């Protein structure tokens, strides 16, 4: 099959998501364009590592068989957290392209095919896709604005449709050419999620900005045909989580802005805040006037989300200036037979 070989990395950390993990792996194995391999990177959880190792026993035969459906189970070789887990997967992977899938998501059958097609252009260094929410309650909460779907790790209203050039891809449904990591390094540790701690983010934003600085000719794309479906647990359907995640996003954005400068670090956010969100508030108020369910709630949630994220940004900026919040980018090293060619 023409096009680059693709390794898929799924970072996992808790046995509570056991069925979700199995479903994620199954969706990769069912791809119309087969993955070279699937790497499950376990984040400092010995029981989960042992359980998954027993579940997937193919690695012993991998080198001899070349079976593209093989699943390799690895321990996170770095500090606890999503960024180090991803870096472990990158270093151990063999594909020309490395794709990332959340452990509580399933990919549609042509997910990898759409990624592979975009890499026909040698300038393309990263390709992301569209992430649709699967609400635990069965439907979107009436008050929850689509403009804030990033709160639950999904594609939000305001992103352009189709195959489009972007500043950064979204980490739970993304792929990178291996040479992107050679040029820019891996994901920064100390900025993204760390197990059950405060839900920080933006590690993929920081990486993408760093990449385009290292490779000014790099093209980063989102193809909305590359679809995954992401589970949203019941706890994240409540306003308390919405507020916590918005605040954490502000903290993370402050770190990114401190690293790459506010002009680049907040470039997309300015358009989002000045165009997308006001339009969302207007729609919510209109729906409220028309007595449509949730209109006032959506408008209020947008306003609350903006002020909460802004508060997090201010606090994060102060901490960053005082040296109380830092992150680092370590060079990627080979592990478990990984290669960089």
């Amino acid at each position: 099959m023409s096009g680059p070989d693709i390794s898929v990395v799924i970072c996992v950390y808790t046995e509570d998501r056991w069925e979700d993990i199995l479903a994620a792996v199954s969706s990769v194995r069912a791809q119309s364009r087969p993955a070279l391999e699937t790497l499950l990177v376990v984040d400092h959880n010995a029981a989960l590592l042992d359980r998954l190792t027993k579940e997937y026993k193919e690695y012993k035969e991998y080198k001899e068989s070349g079976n593209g459906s093989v699943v390799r189970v690895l321990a996170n070789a770095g500090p606890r957290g999503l960024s180090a887990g991803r870096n472990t997967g990158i270093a151990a992977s063999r594909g020309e392209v490395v794709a990332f899938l959340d452990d509580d998501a399933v990919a549609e059958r042509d997910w990898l095919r759409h990624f592979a097609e975009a890499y026909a252009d040698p300038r393309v260094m990263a390709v992301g896709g569209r992430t649709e929410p699967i609400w635990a309650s069965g439907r979107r909460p009436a008050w929850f604005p689509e403009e804030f779907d990033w709160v639950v790790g999904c594609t939000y209203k305001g992103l352009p449709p189709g195959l489009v050039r972007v500043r950064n891809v979204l980490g739970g449904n993304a792929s990178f050419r291996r040479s992107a990591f050679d040029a820019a390094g891996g994901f920064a540790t100390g900025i993204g999620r760390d197990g059950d701690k405060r839900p920080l983010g933006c590690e993929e934003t920081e990486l993408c900005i760093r990449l385009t600085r290292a490779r000014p000719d790099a093209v980063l794309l989102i193809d909305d045909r590359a679809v995954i479906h992401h589970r949203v647990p019941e706890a994240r359907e409540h306003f308390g989580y919405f507020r916590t995640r918005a605040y954490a996003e502000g903290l993370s954005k402050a770190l990114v802005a401190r690293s790459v400068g506010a002009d680049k670090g907040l470039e997309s956010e300015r358009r989002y805040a000045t165009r997308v969100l006001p339009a969302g508030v207007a729609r919510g108020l209109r729906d409220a006037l028309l007595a449509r369910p949730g209109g006032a709630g959506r408008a209020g949630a947008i306003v609350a989300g903006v002020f909460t994220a802004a508060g997090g940004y201010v606090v994060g900026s102060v901490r960053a200036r005082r040296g109380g919040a830092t992150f680092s980018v370590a060079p990627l090293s080979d592990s478990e037979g990984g290669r960089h060619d």
Side-chain angles (χ1 to χ4, degrees), residues 244-283:
T244 299
R245 179 68 185 89
Y247 181 76
E249 184 74 1
L251 294 174
S252 301
K253 282 290 190 294
L255 278 176
V256 173
R258 180 73 172 173
S259 173
V260 304
D263 285 348
K264 194 66 176 177
L266 300 177
E267 181 181 48
S268 296
E269 288 72 16
R270 290 192 182 93
R271 175 189 173 278
Y272 172 74
T274 58
R275 299 182 186 180
V276 176
L277 295 185
V281 171
R283 279 192 297 273

Side-chain angles (χ1 to χ4, degrees), residues 167 207-218 220 264:
R167 180 194 66 179
L207 171 60
C208 288
I209 294 172
R210 188 165 15 103
L211 171 59
T212 52
R213 285 187 165 183
R215 290 283 303 270
D217 61 333
L220 284 64
K264 194 66 176 177

